[in-house]
Amino acid sequence: MVIRCYNAVINACFLGLNRELSINPEFFAPDGPLAALIPEFIHRLVQVEMADTVTEMMLARTNGLMEAGTGTGKTLAYLIPALHCGHKTIISTGTRTLQDQLYFKDLPAVLPIFQAAGGRGMRTALLKGRRNYLCPYRLQKNLEATDKKRSPDSMAQLTAIREWAARSHSGDLSEIADLSEDAPVLPLVTSTADNCLGSRCPEYSGCPLYKAREKALDADLIIVNHHLLFADLALKEDNTGRLLPSVDTIIVDEAHQVPEIARHFFGSRVGSTQMTELVADVRRESFLFGNDDTDLLNRADHLDRRLAMLVESVNRQYSHVGLARLLCIPDVTEEIADVDYALTGLIDALGRASIRSQMFSSCYGRALQLSDQFALLTEPVELNEDYVQWIERRKYGFDIHMSPVSVGHEMATHINHGDATWLFTSATLTVNGSFTHFRDSLGLDDNAIERRFESPFNYREQVRAWIPDNLPMPGTDRHTSALVDACLPLIQANPGRTFFLFTSYRALRLAASLIAEQGDVPVMVQGSMSKHALLEKFVNRDHAVLLATQSFWEGVDVRGAALKCLIIDKLPFMSPEDPLSQALMSALDRSGGNAFTDYLLPRAVISLKQGFGRLIRQESDKGLFVLGDPRMVNRGYGSIFRTSLSDMDWLDNQADAVQYLSELTD
């Protein structure tokens, strides 16, 4: 039935899949092949325009920047040309969730069209980072190294994973529904770049990670995420290998995330977790040898104790101190020297033990590399206009980074002078209508195509916006309390459901307690359950309010009556306590730039556009947008935020906002 509906249209659209022609607009028509295969497909002229532009770009082998507003249908607008042009292509997305959606939903929906048109078989592959795949060797080692220290829960999880592994064809741990992303068992059953034995591993031939990489090398279209893409570029930069094949085209979706992700991969890092995992692997391997090398174990224990003392100082005693000052405190420098000395001692013992097993040999190589990195990154450096050195504290450890102030030079090497054509696309790439900030951050030359494809939604008809009057300046509990007071009548009047998005956990927790005191509104808070479960519960509850922070500002798609009101507590400027932001702003100011206009403001504009994009997801949606920040109207830069958002009507007072929400019906 479906084939009868679209076969004729396919033949007319593709004419034998002539690769030199743009895609026929009839392909996207209301009665075209996409409409026949995709029940929710909606014909949008802007999608046709974007697909045509992407096709031209790919055939001309010209790099491109494309901002595609919400509802454009950008995924199909780049996926169809990628299949049509027949180029070997990598598509990189922002998250693993989007990877799965592309590979398991979007790609299968359109591939039959090309197969029916007589196109050659398209080889596709999904490739994730190594922490997503089971490491059979580490699983077996940890099962063998069971001792009294292993908790019953941990053993039960290891056993369950072994049983799942016997059935799994992919080894992708996301197949285990009840295994959370931060499960304590994950380091026991996955590898890192440090501890992976590679081709020396006894399980190499059946390793899920290397099987997935092998499939990707032979594929015509590979779906990856940004972290994997930039890990590959960083390896090529250092001439140390590659993870991905050479391709004709690289399509980067959710590209607004790229500058910050790239900054981490084009720098250096050393972390306390790397050392604790090294100690754990030494102990585990020693257990399998009957703990017969007491000198090795004593040195591993010594490093563990010294490292714990350093972590305690860094994260508690001096938790308020930045890295530059931290490295000048005598107590800290002494503890760093103790860790360095203990690591050197462990290296000596591992050198002797390295002939006993592949794992000991691997630990020896890791320890040498860690020693070099630790010595380099804990040495105080002079202020530098090109690189920033900073520390990231975590609950049980820390990471020390050295990152480039700008990734433009590194990116330009790959983009402007490489063999592949690059397309960067997102709903949020421009600031005040200009691509300048994003283009410069990536070092793109002036030959790149720049196109903005406006959302097909009519925001003046579908949205009203309001900024509450007389709010205190943001960043205090007074502001949060006043904003909740202003918004409670809206939440209670809302016939649908409310998103309340925050820029800090402190504000979220305070607002949650204040709203919960009302007793008549179902309150759901990020962190109380998994993101997927929380959204599902939110959609199925009437008059609910969901409070969340940054992870809900993008990649969340709640449509129709499920969301009628979006509240954002303040303009999303980076926290002044964020260590990387502090380091970058200082470097920019020293180089003669302006940290606010060159870094903070553009990032905040793009982030606000992302958050606002949660409200309207389809043509029939209507809703109220509330921004709790008086700076939008009383600061000069407020106009930049306003013009960067969609064109919509702004209400004058709370009464109008309440009335508008009350009039919205499901």
Side-chain angles (χ1 to χ4, degrees):
M1 181 71 175
V2 171
I3 291 177
R4 284 202 304 270
C5 291
Y6 70 74
N7 257 356
V9 179
I10 290 173
N11 293 331
C13 290
F14 287 100
L15 301 175
L17 289 176
N18 185 338
R19 305 297 183 188
E20 300 305 319
L21 297 176
S22 296
I23 297 174
N24 192 313
E26 290 300 315
F27 184 75
F28 294 91
D31 57 350
L34 283 180
L37 278 179
I38 304 174
E40 67 272 21
F41 179 78
I42 297 175
H43 170 68
R44 292 177 175 133
L45 181 60
V46 68
Q47 186 180 52
V48 180
E49 293 172 350
M50 180 175 174
D52 199 45
T53 305
V54 173
T55 304
E56 291 179 13
M57 184 208 81
M58 292 178 69
L59 293 175
R61 299 199 176 267
T62 303
N63 298 322
L65 300 176
M66 298 187 191
E67 182 175 83
T70 306
T72 302
K74 73 176 185 304
T75 301
L76 293 181
Y78 65 67
L79 186 56
I80 296 298
L83 296 171
H84 172 61
C85 292
H87 290 183
K88 195 175 181 72
T89 301
I90 288 173
I91 298 176
S92 181
T93 70
T95 65
R96 287 170 291 181
T97 300
L98 292 174
Q99 272 188 278
D100 288 340
Q101 178 180 315
L102 257 170
Y103 191 75
F104 294 112
K105 181 182 176 183
D106 299 325
L107 193 55
V110 297
L111 271 177
I113 298 173
F114 291 85
Q115 293 165 352
R120 65 179 177 84
M122 177 70 67
R123 296 167 298 180
T124 64
L126 173 68
L127 185 60
K128 302 179 181 180
R130 63 168 64 246
R131 283 184 58 83
N132 295 276
Y133 297 101
L134 174 72
C135 173
Y137 179 73
R138 289 183 65 79
L139 171 62
Q140 187 59 35
K141 281 284 186 179
N142 280 290
L143 284 167
E144 293 173 0
T146 303
D147 57 28
K148 294 180 180 179
K149 294 181 181 180
R150 185 79 67 209
S151 70
D153 287 345
S154 179
M155 272 308 303
Q157 285 184 304
L158 287 172
T159 302
I161 290 173
R162 179 175 60 185
E163 294 172 354
W164 160 81
R167 303 187 302 270
S168 175
H169 296 291
S170 69
D172 185 343
L173 291 163
S174 66
E175 294 176 357
I176 307 176
D178 58 350
L179 187 66
S180 65
E181 293 184 2
D182 58 353
V185 75
L186 281 178
L188 305 180
V189 299
T190 60
S191 68
T192 66
D194 291 330
N195 62 35
C196 178
L197 299 178
S199 59
R200 297 173 297 157
C201 179
E203 302 287 343
Y204 178 76
S205 61
C207 175
L209 170 66
Y210 286 98
K211 288 170 69 175
R213 288 183 178 177
E214 185 177 348
K215 182 180 179 182
L217 290 174
D218 292 332
D220 302 302
L221 189 148
I222 309 106
I223 311 290
V224 304
N225 59 48
H226 297 342
H227 285 83
L228 187 59
L229 175 65
F230 286 98
D232 179 65
L233 293 183
L235 286 175
K236 292 174 181 175
E237 183 98 348
D238 294 337
N239 296 315
T240 56
R242 66 189 317 173
L243 302 173
L244 302 172
S246 298
V247 295
D248 302 306
T249 305
I250 299 174
I251 299 172
V252 184
D253 199 350
E254 302 300 326
H256 61 279
Q257 301 174 3
V258 163
E260 296 308 311
I261 292 174
R263 182 173 285 112
H264 283 77
F265 281 98
F266 290 126
S268 300
R269 177 186 71 89
V270 67
S272 58
T273 300
Q274 293 169 280
M275 294 192 197
T276 56
E277 288 181 348
L278 172 65
V279 169
D281 284 343
V282 169
R283 287 171 173 164
R284 192 174 300 116
E285 191 71 358
S286 295
F287 177 86
L288 297 177
F289 279 88
N291 292 328
D292 58 354
D293 190 339
T294 55
D295 180 58
L296 175 61
L297 284 171
N298 287 338
R299 293 181 186 230
D301 291 343
H302 183 57
L303 173 60
D304 200 26
R305 288 192 300 271
R306 292 300 181 185
L307 183 62
M309 294 175 65
L310 178 59
V311 169
E312 176 75 15
S313 289
V314 167
N315 286 356
R316 297 192 183 179
Q317 187 175 352
Y318 301 107
S319 60
H320 61 289
V321 177
L323 182 62
R325 287 183 55 200
L326 191 70
L327 296 179
C328 296
I329 297 173
D331 289 350
V332 174
T333 57
E334 183 176 337
E335 289 175 346
I336 287 173
D338 288 342
V339 170
D340 192 35
Y341 181 77
L343 183 55
T344 300
L346 181 60
I347 289 171
D348 289 341
L350 281 170
R352 294 188 294 271
S354 61
I355 61 173
R356 303 187 72 183
S357 73
Q358 291 285 7
M359 178 55 74
F360 278 142
S361 177
S362 172
C363 288
Y364 177 55
R366 289 160 60 187
L368 286 170
Q369 187 174 20
L370 272 173
S371 180
D372 289 343
Q373 287 293 94
F374 187 70
L376 173 67
L377 295 180
T378 55
E379 183 71 24
V381 297
E382 296 182 4
L383 296 178
N384 191 303
E385 294 181 0
D386 298 322
Y387 281 84
V388 293
Q389 193 177 8
W390 55 285
I391 187 167
E392 179 182 15
R393 294 172 170 88
R394 291 175 283 103
K395 187 174 181 180
Y396 299 112
F398 61 84
D399 290 314
I400 298 176
H401 301 258
M402 183 176 286
S403 303
V405 173
S406 170
V407 297
H409 175 73
E410 288 83 358
M411 288 298 299
T413 302
H414 298 285
I415 298 172
N416 298 328
H417 309 298
D419 296 327
T421 298
W422 289 72
L423 166 62
F424 296 91
T425 184
S426 171
T428 55
L429 291 183
T430 63
V431 176
N432 208 16
S434 171
F435 285 97
T436 300
H437 170 73
F438 186 79
R439 185 186 65 240
D440 291 350
S441 70
L442 295 187
L444 276 166
D445 58 32
D446 295 334
N447 295 323
I449 295 174
E450 297 179 0
R451 296 286 188 276
R452 293 180 64 202
F453 300 96
E454 298 289 346
S455 169
F457 302 153
N458 187 339
Y459 285 95
R460 292 194 69 83
E461 292 293 328
Q462 294 177 249
V463 180
R464 296 293 182 270
W466 177 55
I467 299 174
D469 299 326
N470 303 317
L471 288 176
M473 288 299 290
T476 65
D477 290 350
R478 285 184 61 243
H479 169 265
T480 302
S481 298
L483 179 60
V484 169
D485 287 343
C487 291
L488 274 173
L490 306 178
I491 294 170
Q492 292 162 341
N494 186 4
R497 300 167 183 89
T498 302
F499 262 17
F500 206 148
L501 301 182
F502 297 85
T503 56
S504 75
Y505 284 99
R506 179 183 177 89
L508 182 152
R509 288 190 292 266
L510 175 58
S513 65
L514 293 172
I515 297 172
E517 288 175 1
Q518 303 303 308
D520 57 348
V521 177
V523 177
M524 301 170 191
V525 181
Q526 176 186 342
S528 59
M529 59 186 71
S530 72
K531 185 175 181 179
H532 175 77
L534 195 64
L535 285 171
E536 185 175 6
K537 183 178 179 181
F538 173 78
V539 168
N540 292 321
R541 291 289 298 273
D542 291 332
H543 301 280
V545 56
L546 189 154
L547 296 91
T549 56
Q550 203 65 39
S551 64
F552 279 73
W553 285 58
E554 54 184 283
V556 174
D557 191 4
V558 178
R559 302 185 176 206
L563 183 61
K564 293 292 187 184
C565 181
L566 170 69
I567 307 168
I568 292 180
D569 74 328
K570 67 185 185 71
L571 296 173
F573 288 108
M574 289 292 294
S575 167
E577 298 179 358
D578 178 74
L580 176 58
S581 294
Q582 287 180 344
L584 286 172
M585 288 188 292
S586 296
L588 285 168
D589 286 338
R590 290 195 304 271
S591 66
N594 185 305
F596 181 79
T597 58
D598 296 344
Y599 178 68
L600 283 182
L601 182 60
R603 279 190 52 127
V605 169
I606 288 174
S607 183
L608 182 65
K609 290 169 68 176
Q610 279 290 327
F612 172 76
R614 299 316 99 212
L615 182 59
I616 302 299
R617 308 300 298 174
Q618 58 190 15
E619 282 85 347
S620 58
D621 287 350
K622 289 189 175 183
L624 174 72
F625 169 56
V626 180
L627 178 63
D629 197 328
R631 293 175 295 181
M632 187 77 160
V633 293
N634 61 24
R635 292 287 191 274
Y637 56 74
S639 62
I640 297 177
F641 284 97
R642 194 156 179 164
T643 55
S644 296
L645 290 172
S646 302
D647 184 24
M648 53 193 166
D649 286 334
W650 293 77
L651 302 176
D652 294 326
N653 53 64
Q654 184 191 67
D656 289 345
V658 170
Q659 181 178 351
Y660 175 72
L661 269 180
S662 300
E663 292 172 352
L664 294 180
T665 56
D666 292 353

